Amino acid sequence: MSYEITPRMSNPAYVLANAAPAIQNLVKAAREGGVPESTLELVHLRASQINGCGFCVDFGVKSARKSGMADEKLFAVSAWRESPHFSEEERAALALAEHVTRLADASDAVPDAVWDAAADHYDEKQLASIVLWVSVTNMFNRINVTVRQPAGVGI
């Protein structure tokens, strides 16, 4: 049995001529902070899971596998707190990603304890990279969920 999702429209990043290059520049900048690509893959996947973006979860899993991430780790991302597969650095980045993604869930959206844990493992440039990467991921999630971008289909 298959469930087919039909997009409501073309992806807005490609409808507006200046949007895609600007977004690609943000993606490039976020990768310049010195954070391991595997960590960026993990926080992208976690934010996408939280936001229910099937396209981004599918893309994120495929991208992480392509870069060599083990399936056991990928399967455990949604339950990272209870999994032995994540380093302390990755845990701090995942916690930060969750709080940046769930801003409306608490009056202190990113508590000092979460920020301080991340700052214990990452310098300012790396923190900037993680915050920007999670923010860009959230933007992708919101665009793709809104227009119903199907998972597994190129944009």
Side-chain angles (χ1 to χ4, degrees), residues 45-66:
L45 182 55
R46 185 64 189 125
S48 298
Q49 290 171 336
I50 291 167
N51 288 324
C53 182
F55 179 87
C56 293
V57 168
D58 180 72
F59 180 88
V61 167
K62 289 174 181 172
S63 178
R65 278 184 174 155
K66 187 176 178 181

Side-chain angles (χ1 to χ4, degrees), residues 14-29:
Y14 296 102
V15 171
L16 302 173
N18 293 320
I23 292 168
Q24 289 306 315
N25 283 333
L26 280 172
V27 168
K28 181 181 175 187

Side-chain angles (χ1 to χ4, degrees), residues 69-146:
M69 192 171 298
D71 282 345
E72 292 79 15
K73 194 169 205 169
L74 289 170
F75 297 153
V77 170
S78 65
W80 62 268
R81 286 177 182 84
E82 293 80 28
S83 172
H85 299 292
F86 302 94
S87 69
E88 289 304 312
E89 294 84 0
E90 290 169 336
R91 290 173 186 282
L94 285 163
L96 183 59
E98 286 185 354
H99 284 274
V100 170
T101 299
R102 297 177 185 225
L103 293 176
D105 288 357
S107 60
D108 185 13
V110 181
D112 288 340
V114 170
W115 182 263
D116 292 345
D120 285 344
H121 298 287
Y122 301 101
D123 64 24
E124 186 173 36
K125 192 172 180 183
Q126 292 170 318
L127 286 167
S129 180
I130 293 168
V131 170
L132 186 56
W133 188 253
V134 174
S135 299
V136 170
T137 296
N138 276 280
M139 179 192 63
F140 283 138
N141 295 164
R142 282 153 177 73
I143 290 170
N144 290 324
V145 168
T146 300

